[in-house]
Amino acid sequence: MDKELRVIVSGGGTGGHIFPAVSIANAVRKLRPDAKILFVGANGRMEMQRVPTAGYEIKGLPIRGFIRPLWKPANIGVLIDYFRSKSMAKKILRDFRPDVAVGVGGYASSAALGAANSLGIPTLIQEQNSYAGLANKQLAAKARKICVAYEGMERFFPADKIMLTGNPVRQSLLETTVTREQAISDLGLDPSKKMVLFVGGSLGARTINESILRHLDEVESSDIQFMWQTGKYYFNDIQRRLGNRKIPNLKVTDFITDMGMAYRAADLVISRAGASSISEFCLIGKPVILVPSPNVAEDHQTKNALALADRDAALYVKDAEAPDVLLQLAVKTVNDEAKLKSLSENVLKLALPDSAEIIAKEVIKLANA
């Protein structure tokens, strides 16, 4: 009988970190139902709600990001919180006694895995992006294994530790058995018309929203239907700007609960270029136009988008140009069957399936070692 497996999982801040973290935890639990898994996150960040909803316990740290520019006096408080967090993380680890610690990036992982390294606990890091994040770059030297989603990551990490696994994604997207016809019907859309899905993440994306708002007449005159997830942050303002205007072929919603259904219904998706989203498009073979957010560290979304666009696996539009050109490009692309087919075929070639299970096996291997 194997001894009880105890695992720390740390990171978060965005869905792009949280989805892989929960997927890895689920895969560990599937392989080892006896596993005790504890998450460590950052107070006030998204993981403090999402992780308990997924059925796991989480401990919060007062860690937060540095304020730019770095010479601002407020960063003294940020530094104090970092050392407090590392001290708290050490106590959490001593109490929980994990066999292994997993980091997925984000503020909390730098403190939690830093503490694990100092206590001699083996660590594994998972990097979602094609351009490595600061936390993972700092933790790489002492990590035993580094799981990545893109080739060429030797420029950030020691080559002998790297394993190309891909990014774990939401299982519900892969497990949906709904046909396009069922999905279109359930969403109250017209099965005879092409559908373009505009999605900017759970909070929304201002640029993607403006790309529709500036072209409502073209939307209305088009023979295509559009589903538009505004994000909760922008929804009320968009409702105000739309006023009483009703556009029959435009379905507006603040949040889509079942993304598997929405993706299945869509002929083309317009999206930001977060690593988790890109991994999902690869696995389901969905044609996509990527509009990278300019407001992320080291402009990593642009690098993610170019990794696909350079292989003709996605179309890429710069954020600054999107409000002028995005809608017209979407209409042109969705009406081009040959283009949709080639985008779908090329993006499928980049898929790395079973990522969560492959990483979970490495986690268990490290714990047993």
Side-chain angles (χ1 to χ4, degrees), residues 134-148:
L134 190 58
N136 280 345
K137 281 193 280 192
Q138 289 172 336
L139 295 165
K142 293 188 177 176
R144 302 278 181 90
K145 186 67 72 175
I146 302 168
C147 298
V148 301

Side-chain angles (χ1 to χ4, degrees), residues 34-277:
D34 66 306
K36 297 282 185 288
I37 300 172
L38 176 67
F39 279 72
V40 178
N43 287 333
R45 305 290 286 185
M46 196 188 289
E47 60 265 27
M48 300 308 292
Q49 281 79 45
R50 293 282 181 89
V51 169
T53 303
Y56 294 97
E57 184 186 354
I58 186 166
K59 303 274 188 186
L61 303 175
I63 196 164
R64 52 204 168 102
F66 283 104
I67 300 152
R68 310 279 176 181
L70 292 175
W71 48 257
K72 283 197 171 183
N75 281 321
I76 295 168
V78 176
L79 208 54
I80 290 167
D81 281 345
Y82 172 77
F83 289 116
R84 273 181 65 213
S85 295
K86 196 162 177 185
S87 173
M88 289 168 68
K90 277 188 179 177
K91 184 177 186 321
I92 291 167
L93 267 60
R94 286 194 181 106
D95 290 346
F96 185 70
R97 294 173 290 108
D99 301 296
V100 61
V102 179
V104 296
Y107 304 140
S109 69
S110 63
L113 266 73
N117 285 329
S118 67
L119 294 172
I121 297 161
T123 60
L124 175 148
I125 57 178
Q126 195 260 331
E127 175 55 61
Q128 298 95 39
N129 293 293
S130 61
Y131 193 94
L134 190 58
N136 280 345
K137 281 193 280 192
Q138 289 172 336
L139 295 165
K142 293 188 177 176
R144 302 278 181 90
K145 186 67 72 175
I146 302 168
C147 298
V148 301
Y150 293 89
E151 292 174 354
M153 298 301 283
E154 298 82 9
R155 64 194 198 277
F156 304 111
F157 303 129
D160 59 331
K161 297 180 180 182
I162 292 174
M163 184 174 183
L164 184 65
T165 60
N167 282 325
V169 302
R170 293 172 280 189
Q171 279 304 111
S172 58
L173 296 183
L174 306 179
E175 290 166 357
T176 181
T177 55
V178 175
T179 63
R180 181 186 184 274
E181 291 69 29
Q182 285 175 295
I184 286 278
S185 171
D186 287 357
L187 292 168
L189 299 169
D190 184 343
S192 68
K193 289 184 175 180
K194 289 285 183 76
M195 194 273 265
V196 177
L197 172 65
F198 283 79
V199 58
S202 55
L203 294 177
R206 183 195 298 275
T207 301
I208 290 177
N209 290 338
E210 284 297 327
S211 301
I212 299 176
L213 283 166
R214 291 191 196 178
H215 301 277
L216 291 173
D217 289 343
E218 291 157 75
V219 168
E220 192 164 16
S221 63
S222 167
D223 61 350
I224 295 157
Q225 57 196 334
F226 301 85
M227 187 168 183
W228 177 17
Q229 187 211 51
T230 65
K232 294 183 175 180
Y233 184 79
Y234 297 103
F235 184 67
N236 290 336
D237 180 57
I238 285 167
Q239 291 289 78
R240 180 186 60 76
R241 289 171 69 179
L242 287 173
N244 295 323
R245 185 168 185 175
K246 294 279 183 280
I247 301 175
N249 59 332
L250 178 65
K251 184 181 179 73
V252 185
T253 180
D254 63 338
F255 184 73
I256 297 170
T257 308
D258 189 343
M259 282 307 301
M261 177 91 68
Y263 283 156
R264 189 58 61 93
D267 297 283
L268 175 70
V269 179
I270 315 298
S271 171
R272 286 303 200 190
S276 288
S277 297

Side-chain angles (χ1 to χ4, degrees), residues 229-364:
Q229 187 211 51
T230 65
K232 294 183 175 180
Y233 184 79
Y234 297 103
F235 184 67
N236 290 336
D237 180 57
I238 285 167
Q239 291 289 78
R240 180 186 60 76
R241 289 171 69 179
L242 287 173
N244 295 323
R245 185 168 185 175
K246 294 279 183 280
I247 301 175
N249 59 332
L250 178 65
K251 184 181 179 73
V252 185
T253 180
D254 63 338
F255 184 73
I256 297 170
T257 308
D258 189 343
M259 282 307 301
M261 177 91 68
Y263 283 156
R264 189 58 61 93
D267 297 283
L268 175 70
V269 179
I270 315 298
S271 171
R272 286 303 200 190
S276 288
S277 297
I278 284 181
S279 295
E280 290 171 356
F281 301 138
C282 291
L283 285 162
I284 62 177
K286 190 56 62 175
V288 61
I289 300 175
L290 297 168
V291 186
S293 170
N295 309 312
V296 292
E298 287 111 359
D299 197 25
H300 68 251
Q301 284 204 7
T302 296
K303 296 173 178 80
N304 291 347
L306 289 172
L308 267 68
D310 289 347
R311 293 169 173 83
D312 295 321
L315 298 178
Y316 157 57
V317 174
K318 290 180 181 175
D319 185 84
E321 297 171 3
D324 294 325
V325 305
L326 183 58
L327 188 83
Q328 293 90 332
L329 179 63
V331 170
K332 179 185 171 190
T333 306
V334 81
N335 282 319
D336 185 341
E337 285 295 342
K339 188 66 181 174
L340 290 179
K341 186 170 184 286
S342 73
L343 286 172
S344 179
E345 288 172 353
N346 290 339
V347 80
L348 269 172
K349 289 175 192 169
L350 303 178
L352 292 164
D354 307 318
S355 299
E357 186 178 338
I358 293 165
I359 296 167
K361 284 176 178 173
E362 288 301 311
V363 172
I364 294 166

